[in-house]
Amino acid sequence: MVDKIYRTFVDATQNVFNLMLNISDISDHPAENFNCDSEIDIAIGVIGDLQGEVVYRFPASTSINMVKLMSGMQFDEVDAFVTSAISEIANIISGNVLTALSGSDLTCDILPPVQTKIDEQKEYDIKTSCCISTTIGAICLEIRLNKAA
Amino acid sequence: MLWRDNYELGVPVIDAQHKELFRRVESFLQVLRSADNWEEKVNKINETLDFMKMYVVEHFRDEEEYQKSIGYPGYEKHKQLHIGMVEYVQEFCKQYEESNNSEQLMQQFGGRLLAWLINHVAAEDQRIADYAIKKGMSGNGR
């Protein structure tokens, strides 16, 4: 189950980077340590057969590069515009994951994206992290889900 | 430039509207992201937003008519995506008015609009084009 969820998130992220940013050179690996100087963490809550959240960790440089690529405009810092754009991308990836999981009889819904800080203390049935590396920088997904009782 | 050739779907009627929509969103974003101070550009932003709201609704209506005309099986699902976006825009406009034209809110709106539009055209609308082309109804011989 953990592997399946992990792979579904990785595939959805790769697909969105490919379609929206025209980036196809993408690799993934489990993220044991994901460190960067400055990052924006966006949480997408999950409800239904799976419950919990997925936190998308966007380094500032990756966030700026993503928005530059989408808009063709210059951005020098992470502001409300950039945060909102990458939050929507996290929302889109998560929505695509749920569509993919619905084919495996898992019915879930997502909550609107919120800026967050990761709580390392909570325990989950499914707890995994993946780092996705691209030519414009990496992002990390912290997947923390419980199966509904 | 916001528009990219790989967003082209191969259905002339939809591609023409998408290019126009991207052109309008791009000019909106250029004003929004310009270095002018907020008081100087807020009137132009508001005018552009009002015009774009009308254009988006018109484009969604035309796109839905096109889907019906080709018997697109994902019509209802796609229409819900349009309804969701229109509802978001309406809710945003209400909050924006109540905030007395908050720049922060408008910047958030611009970021979300940019990502939503690109995903909608590059991913969701591609399904309509795939169906039209498969059925030989794209109108460009592809």
Side-chain angles (χ1 to χ4, degrees):
Chain A
M1 177 68 127
V2 177
D3 288 347
K4 182 179 179 178
I5 301 279
Y6 176 99
R7 183 42 54 192
T8 309
F9 271 98
V10 168
D11 289 348
T13 306
Q14 289 181 337
N15 193 36
V16 164
F17 269 71
N18 195 355
L19 282 174
M20 292 183 67
L21 305 171
N22 206 21
I23 293 175
S24 52
D25 190 4
I26 302 167
S27 62
D28 70 279
H29 57 85
E32 287 165 10
N33 291 302
F34 184 77
N35 294 316
C36 58
D37 290 341
S38 168
E39 69 182 61
I40 307 107
D41 296 339
I42 305 294
I44 303 283
V46 178
I47 52 175
D49 291 342
L50 296 172
Q51 298 177 350
E53 65 179 11
V54 180
V55 180
Y56 293 77
R57 300 174 62 190
F58 294 95
S61 57
T62 309
S63 309
I64 289 169
N65 286 337
M66 288 167 73
V67 178
K68 274 185 187 172
L69 256 184
M70 280 193 293
S71 66
M73 296 165 75
Q74 186 60 36
F75 287 83
D76 300 318
E77 60 178 8
V78 174
D79 59 10
F81 186 103
V82 173
T83 303
S84 179
I86 61 166
S87 297
E88 180 62 15
I89 290 178
N91 192 43
I92 290 163
I93 295 169
S94 305
N96 291 350
V97 167
L98 297 197
T99 302
L101 290 178
S102 67
S104 308
D105 289 335
L106 282 170
T107 304
C108 304
D109 207 349
I110 52 173
L111 301 175
V114 286
Q115 211 169 340
T116 189
K117 278 289 158 206
I118 295 170
D119 181 354
E120 297 287 356
Q121 305 305 317
K122 284 190 191 169
E123 287 302 318
Y124 293 90
D125 301 335
I126 299 165
K127 193 171 179 179
T128 183
S129 308
C130 56
C131 177
I132 295 172
S133 301
T134 77
T135 47
I136 59 162
I139 67 168
C140 177
L141 276 62
E142 306 273 0
I143 302 163
R144 289 131 189 274
L145 299 167
N146 288 316
K147 293 171 208 159
Chain B
M1 194 178 172
L2 200 56
W3 175 262
R4 290 173 181 221
D5 288 343
N6 64 310
Y7 298 152
E8 205 155 276
L9 304 177
V11 181
V13 63
I14 297 184
D15 283 333
Q17 285 203 349
H18 281 163
K19 283 179 187 171
E20 180 62 12
L21 185 57
F22 270 69
R23 194 182 66 76
R24 291 182 190 279
V25 170
E26 184 169 28
S27 19
F28 169 70
L29 295 183
Q30 276 169 351
V31 179
L32 181 64
R33 299 301 300 178
S34 71
D36 298 341
N37 73 47
W38 184 243
E39 284 69 31
E40 284 170 20
K41 62 188 178 186
V42 68
N43 286 339
K44 194 167 180 190
I45 289 277
N46 293 348
E47 281 169 24
T48 316
L49 181 68
D50 284 342
F51 187 80
M52 220 174 51
K53 266 165 28 190
M54 285 188 298
Y55 189 81
V56 165
V57 169
E58 191 181 318
H59 165 63
F60 284 173
R61 189 196 60 215
D62 288 351
E63 199 180 89
E64 286 162 17
E65 284 301 316
Y66 175 74
Q67 290 173 47
K68 277 202 280 191
S69 76
I70 62 169
Y72 178 56
Y75 166 76
E76 285 297 338
K77 194 177 169 194
H78 199 98
K79 190 176 176 181
Q80 287 307 313
L81 296 174
H82 288 169
I83 289 171
M85 188 56 177
V86 169
E87 284 175 352
Y88 164 69
V89 173
Q90 286 169 344
E91 179 59 28
F92 162 75
C93 288
K94 195 176 151 206
Q95 284 180 18
Y96 179 65
E97 276 176 29
E98 286 169 0
S99 75
N100 199 19
N101 300 343
S102 156
E103 178 176 10
Q104 172 95 350
L105 271 183
M106 187 57 85
Q107 294 291 347
Q108 287 172 358
F109 175 76
R112 182 166 174 186
L113 176 68
L114 171 70
W116 187 92
L117 180 65
I118 291 175
N119 177 64
H120 192 74
V121 171
E124 302 296 342
D125 286 348
Q126 186 65 56
R127 296 190 181 103
I128 308 168
D130 289 347
Y131 178 80
I133 290 163
K134 193 172 135 194
K135 296 286 177 186
M137 293 185 284
S138 68
N140 72 347
R142 266 170 72 171

